Amino acid sequence: MRNRIIIFMAILSFSFANAQEKISLSLEDAQKYALEHNRTLKNASLEFQKAEASRWQSIATMLPQISASAEYDNMFGYKMDLGEFQISMPNSITYGATASVALSGAQVVAVQIKDISKKMADISQQQTEQQVTDQVKTLYYSALVLEKTAALLEENLKNLQKLLVFTQKSVDVGMAEQTDADLISVQVASMKTNVNATRRSLEMAYNSLRLQLGLDVDTNIELTQSIDELMGVDSSLAILNSSFDPENNFDFRLMQQNLQLAKKQVSAQKWAYAPSLTAFYQYTQKEYMSDEATMNSTPPNMFGVSLSIPIFSGGSRKKAVKEAALNFQQQLNTYEDTRESLIIQHRQLVYNLKSNFETYETQLQNLKVVQRVFDNIARKYEQGVASSLDVTNAGSDLIDAQNSYVQALLQVVNARIELEQLLNVD
């Protein structure tokens, strides 16, 4: 019984320790941690390794192919009847080796295509890294915004609860109507609902951040930076003045590689007209397990060269080249469209960030004004100058102002991250 209690306490202590696991992260720390532990990024790294392995498979087709063989034959004393005499078929062991090399222009192009595929896998891995760090940044900002929102709501909830207590006491002594207390009570309940909804949204943001970081669901995350620290005006204005080079954009770089790939496909189809050369050398040694003279017709050395020349294919090779050329032209048109669309997208994202930042500053000032109005009406209500309806209306205006402020802040965050992603900057 005592052992069971000890085991139970040990399990309980272990569970409690796990539940209390905590990690403190700045935004940069969180992004670095994600680069090391994010599972999606690990898969992108594996994809790059697969591309490298596929490339070496293509290279290997141009290298000598060597194989060895061994064979044991047992005729069980069989004798070949040649009329006047018979020949015994002794047991034998045959072993040998073969080396061959096959060369064609198509193999060279195939390796070049695999090189392009490897480059694309490398670019995709870098793009995935950027997407992961941007997602971490978005969630980090979102969590900070929700933390700040929850703090504002809880502070207003305290103020309303004080007014409710004050009003209820006034009702008890006959200085106010019960409807006044009821109106403020509804306002308190509404504020509590907003606080709870914000806290639930905050937990969802932390859960999403845990997933991006590859953390256990019970890990407690502490964010060491504030939203005011990260949302600097200077940094936002600096990115607005950054010049845009499509060559730094991952989507554009992938499109460039797609264009090169389509071009190589044309070359690969043209090489179907070219001859292919194959050379081989074979060594064979056959040993008979008998002392009798035996006829051996197996040559020990053999060398051969074959040349294959395509002559007529019913026009299929010609049509294959044409199809590849048309596909290349399609990729070239898409390439030009991509360049132009990225330039237009940059201008739009700059406009979005400017517009959202102006809206954010306006909503911030509006929130400060509405907060002062609410505090002023609350004081007047305590002094009997304002009514409970004034308090309720001011409280509703404050909630609306806070929601507008939060939305404006999140829009700035999203617009800034989208622009940073397009520019490929941290």
Side-chain angles (χ1 to χ4, degrees), residues 7 134 190 194 223 241 271 291 307 319 325 340 347 404 425:
I7 294 173
D134 286 344
S190 177
N194 287 334
L223 307 182
N241 297 325
W271 273 107
D291 295 334
L307 182 66
K319 294 301 181 182
E340 294 300 321
R347 293 174 181 174
S404 298
V425 296

Side-chain angles (χ1 to χ4, degrees), residues 23-60:
I23 182 170
S24 299
L25 297 169
S26 65
L27 176 57
E28 183 179 358
D29 293 337
Q31 290 174 319
K32 289 180 179 179
Y33 193 94
L35 291 177
E36 295 178 6
H37 300 88
N38 183 271
R39 299 177 184 88
T40 302
L41 191 54
K42 290 180 180 179
N43 284 340
S45 176
L46 294 175
E47 198 66 33
F48 174 76
Q49 295 177 45
K50 286 168 57 179
E52 174 67 11
S54 179
R55 171 177 174 271
W56 274 106
Q57 290 180 54
S58 296
I59 294 176

